[in-house]
Amino acid sequence: MQAALAISRHILLFFMIVAILILAVLLPRDVEVRAEGKPQTVVFEYEFSWAVYSENLTGFFSDLIREKSFGLTKYERTAEDEAVLYFSRSLKVIVLAFILSLLLGILKGIFDAKRGGPLRHVFGKGFTWLLQSVPDFFLFLSLQWILLIYFRDYVDLFGHESWYSFIYPAILVSIYPALYISRITAASLLDQERMPYITVAHSKGLPPMMITYKHLLKNSLVPLLTNMGSLMIYLLSNLLIVEYLTDYKGAAYRLFEAFHVTPVLSVGLNTTIEPNVIILFGICFMLMVLFVQILSETAKRWIDPREESA
């Protein structure tokens, strides 16, 4: 019952965010950019119109219902075809990055939770905290610079054409989510070490490795699963900058392109966006988060039945 309620809340939140996304994207964007006076000062004017807003909303939903499609993009392809093309590329990055984040994060968390040893003093929790405090943009650029100097003759680090092109972006995307998981894992393991059953296990002479992986880690899975939705959001938030820096034409790159972002404000500025692409791609990204949330809620109750009555 508790699992069904939790999943229902996630689904309800998903539909609320979709509604907010549609309402925000379809806001009127008719602006006037003109130059005034001898210095040709650029003036930006915007006036909201309920009539235009209502027309945008009714036109979008009527086309969606009548045509059973989100419409055409600027490349004269349907938005659905664009989603299949670009998400087929990004899914490889997302899935691999998700797996790497979990595996590396859990291993780093176990390493951080252990006490003693010179390596742990240097590369333990303090090192994790230091990496998380570095801006992701700076870290990505630093790694890009190192790889370009030492490995550019061996692999192609840019684009999406090669079969291995998704591996490098996946590694970059997984760095910060892995650090996030490592901190959760380390905190959970340290909490479990104070439990009486761990004292009993040590008194029986069980190997530390068995205690860690068979007892501590198993009982730390519930806190990890609770944060799976946050992990996916963290991962997706880094996807755009990585795809942009590596010129990997994935879904986040295409979504950014649909906003038609311009660096300057000039006379005759084109403020046209692709609302159908933004809405469809946004829904697809949110569906990924919803899927992970539902999966984690189900897995929590399966691993620990006590969660059902919590």
Side-chain angles (χ1 to χ4, degrees):
M1 185 63 181
Q2 292 295 326
L5 287 175
I7 292 172
S8 299
R9 285 196 295 268
H10 290 311
I11 294 174
L12 179 60
L13 181 62
F14 166 78
F15 282 110
M16 289 176 60
I17 296 175
V18 169
I20 293 172
L21 173 67
I22 293 173
L23 292 174
V25 171
L26 295 178
L27 280 167
R29 297 179 58 84
D30 298 327
V31 299
E32 182 182 357
V33 183
R34 66 179 189 276
E36 290 186 347
K38 290 184 178 180
Q40 292 293 287
T41 304
V42 177
V43 179
F44 182 92
E45 289 187 356
Y46 172 77
E47 184 176 348
F48 177 79
S49 171
W50 282 107
V52 176
Y53 191 28
S54 176
E55 183 180 341
N56 290 346
L57 290 171
T58 54
F60 172 77
F61 284 108
S62 62
D63 289 343
L64 184 62
I65 295 171
R66 185 175 61 251
E67 303 295 336
K68 302 294 189 298
S69 171
F70 281 82
L72 298 176
T73 68
K74 63 182 180 181
Y75 299 118
E76 298 300 322
R77 292 194 297 260
T78 64
E80 292 81 7
D81 289 339
E82 293 272 280
V84 171
L85 174 64
Y86 288 96
F87 271 96
S88 64
R89 299 170 185 166
S90 287
L91 272 176
K92 293 183 287 186
V93 175
I94 294 169
V95 171
L96 180 58
F98 191 84
I99 295 172
L100 288 175
S101 299
L102 283 178
L103 292 179
L104 298 178
I106 291 173
L107 291 175
K108 184 66 167 66
I110 294 172
F111 181 83
D112 291 350
K114 297 294 182 180
R115 296 183 177 88
L119 281 178
R120 290 190 175 91
H121 288 300
V122 178
F123 299 105
K125 289 190 291 185
F127 185 68
T128 303
W129 176 84
L130 178 64
L131 284 179
Q132 280 195 304
S133 65
V134 177
D136 51 2
F137 186 80
F138 175 78
L139 184 59
F140 294 157
L141 284 179
S142 300
L143 289 174
Q144 191 96 324
W145 179 68
I146 293 171
L147 290 171
L148 281 174
I149 291 176
Y150 295 104
F151 296 97
R152 62 181 177 183
D153 295 331
Y154 305 101
V155 293
D156 185 7
L157 299 174
F158 298 96
H160 58 272
E161 293 81 9
S162 302
W163 68 267
Y164 56 82
S165 296
F166 70 97
I167 297 176
Y168 174 52
I171 293 172
L172 290 181
V173 170
S174 67
I175 292 174
Y176 279 87
L179 296 173
Y180 173 71
I181 289 297
S182 71
R183 295 189 66 176
I184 296 172
T185 304
S188 181
L189 290 176
L190 291 173
D191 287 340
Q192 293 291 327
E193 279 188 346
R194 303 184 183 97
M195 297 296 178
Y197 76 93
I198 297 300
T199 305
V200 173
H202 281 295
S203 66
K204 288 183 177 180
L206 293 178
M209 192 70 69
M210 179 184 292
I211 295 174
T212 297
Y213 288 96
K214 188 175 180 180
H215 298 286
L216 286 172
L217 192 57
K218 180 182 178 181
N219 288 285
S220 299
L221 287 178
V222 171
L224 284 174
L225 290 170
T226 302
N227 289 275
M228 285 299 98
S230 300
L231 170 64
M232 179 57 77
I233 294 173
Y234 208 165
L235 192 151
L236 294 177
S237 67
N238 286 327
L239 187 62
L240 171 59
I241 185 173
V242 169
E243 289 189 351
Y244 187 82
L245 287 176
T246 59
D247 196 38
Y248 188 88
K249 301 296 195 301
Y253 189 100
R254 180 66 180 88
L255 180 61
F256 176 74
E257 191 180 62
F259 279 97
H260 194 73
V261 178
T262 54
V264 294
L265 185 66
S266 59
V267 178
L269 177 68
N270 181 14
T271 58
T272 303
I273 63 173
E274 295 178 274
N276 54 346
V277 174
I278 296 170
I279 292 171
L280 178 58
F281 278 50
I283 291 173
C284 291
F285 279 123
M286 288 185 288
L287 278 173
M288 292 183 189
V289 177
L290 178 63
F291 173 76
V292 171
Q293 288 173 330
I294 293 174
L295 197 63
S296 64
E297 289 290 342
T298 306
K300 272 196 306 184
R301 271 67 186 184
W302 179 71
I303 291 171
D304 190 354
R306 292 173 298 178
E307 286 291 313
E308 186 64 35
S309 57

